[in-house]
Amino acid sequence: MTLQAVLFDLNGTIANTDGLHQPIVEQLLLAQNLRLEAGEYRALCPDRSDRACLSALLARRGRSTTADGLDGLLAAKSAALDEALRQQPAPALYPDVAALLARLDAAGLAVGVVAGMALRDAQQVLAHAGLSQAFAAIASAEEAGDPYTLALARLSERSAGSSHLIPSRCLAIEATEIGIAAAHRAGLPVAAVTHRHPLHMLQRQADWAIDRLGELELERLQQAFAQARAGEC
């Protein structure tokens, strides 16, 4: 087996959590006497980490902030997310998530998550969605270092038989151009799913593009990885 592991983006690929995050960001801005404009969150935030989202929104308004100031905003956002998760239903999973996870498990592949939100927030979202045990490792863009590299290192530590994970033999599943570029920088080929952007846009960036997660054909992927591996020898 040449495909070693699969890493999912969290928001946009596994679950749509924008409905949780946007009201919280709006309240954080109001606390700064700032207003979130119509369409602004969708334009600036879904493809970015929480830190990058808040930085961009503040910069648009000519507001500068220190690293400590941003840390304070992120801590407030995390606390608000905890409260929102207690009061609301679980975030809506995209179609075929559970079925694909079952197929990956049956194939013996290590599976992890990369998230743009803080690590604790990602863990909370997965727990609320009933997926805490589905992933052997989680990494966040808010941590020091590349999140894909961190996720692969954690998978190597925690997954039996995954001690020599090679980025080019692992697959990232992403839903945005920013996410695709991040995975490619870390050396992972990417399958992109059209949860956020149309197929023709993703096809220009990703190695594979699919309309829904259920269309991911593991046998064909294994063949493609095997052929790529043979070409390296």
Side-chain angles (χ1 to χ4, degrees), residues 28 32 51 54 65-78:
L28 289 175
Q32 304 287 320
R51 186 177 297 272
L54 290 170
T65 186
T66 63
D68 287 344
L70 269 178
D71 287 344
L73 288 173
L74 290 169
K77 182 179 181 297
S78 183

Side-chain angles (χ1 to χ4, degrees), residues 85 90-91 120-133 138:
L85 286 171
R120 181 175 179 275
D121 294 350
Q123 292 167 335
Q124 288 283 87
V125 168
L126 289 173
H128 203 60
L131 294 176
S132 290
Q133 304 305 313
I138 308 173

Side-chain angles (χ1 to χ4, degrees), residues 19-28 72-88 120-121 124:
L20 289 170
H21 294 291
Q22 183 171 343
I24 294 172
V25 169
E26 187 168 3
Q27 289 302 312
L28 289 175
L73 288 173
L74 290 169
K77 182 179 181 297
S78 183
L81 180 62
D82 284 350
E83 182 63 25
L85 286 171
R86 281 195 292 269
Q87 295 181 4
Q88 298 182 20
R120 181 175 179 275
D121 294 350
Q124 288 283 87

Side-chain angles (χ1 to χ4, degrees), residues 1-7 100 104 107-110 161-162 165-173 188-189 208 216-227 229:
M1 181 181 294
T2 55
L3 175 60
Q4 295 179 313
V6 177
L7 296 179
L100 178 55
L104 295 173
L109 293 168
S162 301
L165 291 179
I166 301 168
S168 63
R169 294 174 64 187
C170 300
L171 178 71
I173 303 181
L188 283 79
W208 299 275
L216 197 69
E217 300 180 59
L218 288 183
E219 288 187 6
R220 291 185 65 181
L221 279 174
Q222 294 283 21
Q223 292 171 4
F225 275 81
Q227 290 169 1
R229 178 66 175 164

Side-chain angles (χ1 to χ4, degrees), residues 41-166:
Y41 181 90
R42 184 172 179 81
L44 291 178
C45 295
D47 297 353
R48 292 182 165 93
S49 69
D50 285 350
R51 186 177 297 272
C53 164
L54 290 170
S55 295
L57 290 170
L58 291 172
R60 261 197 175 191
R61 291 154 176 80
R63 294 284 188 94
S64 60
T65 186
T66 63
D68 287 344
L70 269 178
D71 287 344
L73 288 173
L74 290 169
K77 182 179 181 297
S78 183
L81 180 62
D82 284 350
E83 182 63 25
L85 286 171
R86 281 195 292 269
Q87 295 181 4
Q88 298 182 20
L93 298 180
Y94 284 103
D96 305 323
V97 168
L100 178 55
L101 288 172
R103 287 197 288 136
L104 295 173
D105 182 63
L109 293 168
V111 182
V113 170
V114 170
M117 64 190 79
L119 184 63
R120 181 175 179 275
D121 294 350
Q123 292 167 335
Q124 288 283 87
V125 168
L126 289 173
H128 203 60
L131 294 176
S132 290
Q133 304 305 313
F135 302 97
I138 308 173
S140 165
E142 299 295 344
E143 299 181 88
D146 174 76
Y148 273 101
T149 302
L150 286 173
L152 287 180
R154 288 169 184 167
L155 277 180
S156 295
E157 293 170 0
R158 300 170 189 174
S159 299
S162 301
S163 58
H164 299 290
L165 291 179
I166 301 168

